[in-house]
Amino acid sequence: PVLMRSPLRTSAYETYILHAQGQDATVGRKRKLEEAIDLKGMEPGKAKGAVLSVWYKEGAEKVRYEGVVTSLSPEGLRVRFRGSDKGIYEVTSEDEWAWGGLQE
């Protein structure tokens, strides 16, 4: 059989290894994501499009930014912040964040 590469798989090598181990590639990708960032109860398939709040320290105070998850990556969550035209930012396990647009 021909093994075709899915866009969900990060590399042909990973596809080969997972196939050789009898695992579905999506299982391996989910495991890799869970190791990168704690999704705090959210399922990976439901994270895309979800709203979250992230707090960054600016000077002496914490500032909250609200954004929408555009995709998941091996490093964490890719987020577009509301009111920002600067593109996509990575939110990692090192950042302080929570699901939902929280009221101040």
Side-chain angles (χ1 to χ4, degrees):
V2 176
L3 186 61
M4 299 194 65
R5 185 168 180 227
S6 163
L8 296 176
R9 297 180 178 134
T10 57
S11 72
Y13 177 75
E14 180 183 60
T15 300
Y16 171 77
I17 294 299
L18 293 172
H19 181 70
Q21 295 173 350
Q23 298 179 20
D24 184 338
T26 56
V27 173
R29 183 171 170 84
K30 182 178 178 186
R31 215 177 275 134
K32 188 182 260 187
L33 179 64
E34 289 170 350
E35 292 170 4
I37 188 166
D38 174 13
L39 293 179
K40 302 179 181 185
M42 178 76 71
E43 292 181 32
K46 295 181 180 179
K48 186 175 178 181
V51 175
L52 59 81
S53 294
V54 184
W55 290 266
Y56 292 108
K57 192 161 185 141
E58 294 182 4
E61 55 185 79
K62 280 186 187 178
V63 179
R64 180 184 65 91
Y65 293 92
E66 189 174 293
V68 176
V69 176
T70 61
S71 64
L72 302 149
S73 77
E75 290 77 36
L77 305 170
R78 291 188 177 128
V79 176
R80 181 179 307 277
F81 289 111
R82 294 193 173 157
S84 173
D85 59 352
K86 293 190 177 186
I88 306 295
Y89 293 85
E90 290 279 344
V91 174
T92 68
S93 59
E94 296 174 8
D95 295 314
E96 182 180 348
W97 66 277
W99 293 113
L102 303 176
Q103 295 185 10
E104 293 184 30

